[in-house]
């Protein structure tokens, strides 16, 4: 659970990172063949903030955007989810980042992303222009490895924020390894170093192997012994959570290892699930729920996003999600969720047994 902070918390969670205007394809296919695109928003950290705000938590997004129409759109769109955007700064000299993507899953060979973010307003974030008071008055500060890839200044900002200090909030870090953003070959060392300075870390098995050459949950934990909670995402298999009580006296307590199977989901669009999982896990962490239920809420929030076309959607009502997260293992294993499940009221509507 988040510990006491020296500052009075003004938000449950503060999320720091770049958000961009996203151009979404009107149909499947290569970028070269897609005739038109619709406009959306995209950014790992702002996605988490939006999901948490929609789930009823005071959430703040901290970033920089250009003094342009795309910046206006981002701030307005994120704010409509109930996120506090008062700490988003405007840069008169640098543009808001944009990107285009295909409709296919990021994990497949056919997935394409065309980023236009070099020199963006967010890439100029640094310890000198992002005030600590915007970031540390919260219960959880959520960061991501994407920010570290944007520039040396951004990397310095994350290094500063993850430094040990009295009264800091719980630090949550999603490794979010994006190979295309790293040009200097430093991804492995930088991401590992940042993750080891945080309290709660999310990493995919595939990311750990790609970034660090480490395979398997036990080996990943050996590479990341410091975080009190390490969540290893195993795709369709589920998640493994290594957790221990950081307040226990004496030598570090032994890990409790919790394996939580993923849900079976009728996927509409395979994007946004990782950010939604983090939001669900953080929401349940803020509420003091057991580790198993934190991971289950992560899976449920991911299922909400996977069953809609975009990266963001309203989560299930809290009582609805709590009821599903409390199911016994056998009943959890029979859940199959499809489009519209978040609005279903009765068990017969929300569950398909196969």
């Amino acid at each position: 659970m988040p510990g006491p902070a020296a500052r009075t918390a003004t938000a449950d969670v503060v999320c720091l990172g770049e958000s961009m205007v996203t151009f979404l394809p009107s149909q499947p296919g290569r970028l070269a063949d897609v005739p038109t695109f619709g406009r959306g928003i995209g950014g790992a950290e702002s996605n988490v903030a939006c999901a948490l705000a929609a789930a009823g938590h005071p959430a703040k997004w901290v970033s920089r955007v250009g003094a342009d129409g795309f910046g206006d759109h981002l701030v307005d769109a994120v704010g409509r989810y109930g996120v506090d955007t008062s700490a988003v700064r405007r840069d008169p000299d640098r543009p808001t980042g944009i990107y285009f993507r295909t409709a296919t899953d990021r994990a497949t060979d056919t997935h394409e992303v065309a980023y236009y973010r070099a020199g963006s307003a967010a890439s100029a974030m640094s310890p000198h222009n992002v005030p600590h008071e915007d970031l540390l008055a919260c219960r959880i500060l959520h960061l991501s490895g994407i920010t570290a890839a944007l520039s040396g200044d951004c990397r310095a900002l994350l290094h500063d924020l993850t430094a040990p200090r009295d009264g800091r909030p719980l630090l949550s870090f999603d490794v979010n390894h994006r190979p295309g953003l790293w040009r200097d070959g430093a991804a492995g060392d930088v991401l590992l170093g940042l993750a080891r300075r945080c309290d709660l870390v999310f990493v995919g098995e595939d990311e750990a192997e790609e970034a660090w050459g480490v395979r398997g949950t036990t080996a990943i934990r050996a590479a990341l012994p410091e975080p009190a909670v390490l969540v290893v995402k195993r795709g369709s298999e589920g998640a493994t959570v290594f957790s221990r009580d950081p307040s226990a006296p004496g030598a570090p307590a032994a890990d409790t290892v919790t394996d939580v199977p993923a849900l079976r989901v009728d996927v509409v669009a395979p994007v946004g699930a990782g950010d939604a999982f983090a939001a669900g896990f953080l929401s349940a962490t803020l509420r003091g729920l057991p580790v198993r239920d934190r991971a289950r809420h992560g899976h449920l929030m991911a299922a909400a996003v996977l069953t809609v076309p975009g990266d963001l959607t309203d989560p299930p009502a809290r009582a609805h999600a709590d009821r599903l997260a409390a199911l016994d293992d056998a009943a959890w294993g029979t859940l199959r969720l499809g489009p519209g499940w978040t609005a279903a009221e009765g068990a017969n509507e929300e569950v398909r047994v196969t």
Side-chain angles (χ1 to χ4, degrees):
M1 278 294 295
R7 300 164 179 82
T8 301
T10 59
D12 277 353
V13 181
V14 170
C15 300
L16 168 75
E18 179 172 35
S19 190
M20 295 175 290
V21 172
T22 311
F23 289 93
L24 310 172
S26 59
Q27 63 187 45
R30 302 182 311 152
L31 287 179
D33 301 328
V34 175
T36 58
F37 295 81
R39 186 181 65 175
I41 62 172
E45 301 85 2
S46 61
N47 284 350
V48 172
C50 289
L52 284 166
H57 297 281
K60 177 189 284 189
W61 171 51
V62 178
S63 189
R64 291 174 69 84
V65 299
D68 51 34
F70 286 149
D72 294 342
H73 174 65
L74 277 175
V75 173
D76 290 346
V78 173
R80 282 197 294 272
Y81 280 87
V83 176
D84 179 355
T85 60
S86 62
V88 178
R89 303 293 189 257
R90 300 301 185 103
D91 190 321
D93 301 315
R94 298 176 179 86
T96 303
I98 64 172
Y99 74 98
F100 297 77
R101 67 167 172 82
T102 53
T104 47
D105 188 349
R106 181 183 287 120
T108 70
D109 292 337
T110 58
H111 181 70
E112 295 176 74
V113 179
Y115 289 112
Y116 298 90
R117 70 196 308 177
S120 69
S123 70
M125 291 189 297
S126 78
H128 308 295
N129 61 22
V130 181
H132 279 189
E133 56 265 28
D134 286 342
L135 295 165
L136 301 181
C138 58
R139 297 172 65 191
I140 298 177
L141 173 60
H142 181 67
L143 309 170
S144 137
I146 294 172
T147 304
L150 298 181
S151 68
D153 282 343
C154 284
R155 198 172 304 175
L157 175 60
L158 290 197
H159 192 266
D160 181 57
L161 291 172
T162 57
R165 57 166 51 88
D166 291 338
R168 79 177 190 182
L170 184 145
L171 293 186
S172 167
F173 184 74
D174 193 334
V175 171
N176 259 331
H177 180 224
R178 299 287 187 268
L181 297 179
W182 293 88
R183 304 297 185 187
D184 56 7
D189 289 342
V190 171
L191 295 174
L192 187 63
L194 290 170
R196 294 181 68 175
R197 292 155 66 100
C198 294
D199 306 302
L200 164 59
V201 172
F202 301 93
V203 64
E205 268 192 318
D206 55 343
E207 291 179 305
E209 184 171 358
E210 189 171 33
W212 306 320
V214 175
R215 180 178 299 178
T217 58
T218 302
I220 295 170
R221 182 49 157 170
L224 282 170
E226 293 86 358
V229 178
L230 172 65
V231 183
V232 181
K233 298 175 290 182
R234 298 182 288 113
S236 61
E237 296 300 311
T240 298
V241 184
F242 296 87
S243 58
R244 62 172 180 267
D245 182 359
S247 65
D255 274 328
T256 298
V257 182
T258 308
D259 287 310
V260 182
L263 293 161
R264 289 176 292 173
V265 178
D266 296 331
V267 176
V268 172
V271 291
D275 302 331
F277 180 94
F281 195 97
L282 291 174
S283 173
T285 298
L286 287 160
R287 296 170 60 204
L289 300 184
V291 168
R292 184 206 69 169
D293 290 1
R294 298 180 197 185
R296 284 189 171 186
H297 276 275
H299 287 315
L300 288 164
M301 195 83 85
V305 168
L306 288 171
T307 51
V308 299
D311 294 19
L312 289 167
T313 189
D314 289 333
R318 182 172 291 184
H320 185 178
D322 282 346
R323 185 169 66 252
L324 295 181
L327 292 172
D328 62 34
D329 290 345
W332 178 263
T334 65
L335 283 177
R336 182 163 184 168
L337 304 178
W341 76 268
T342 59
E345 293 298 331
N348 290 335
E349 296 176 274
E350 69 199 13
V351 178
R352 286 170 51 191
V353 180
T354 58

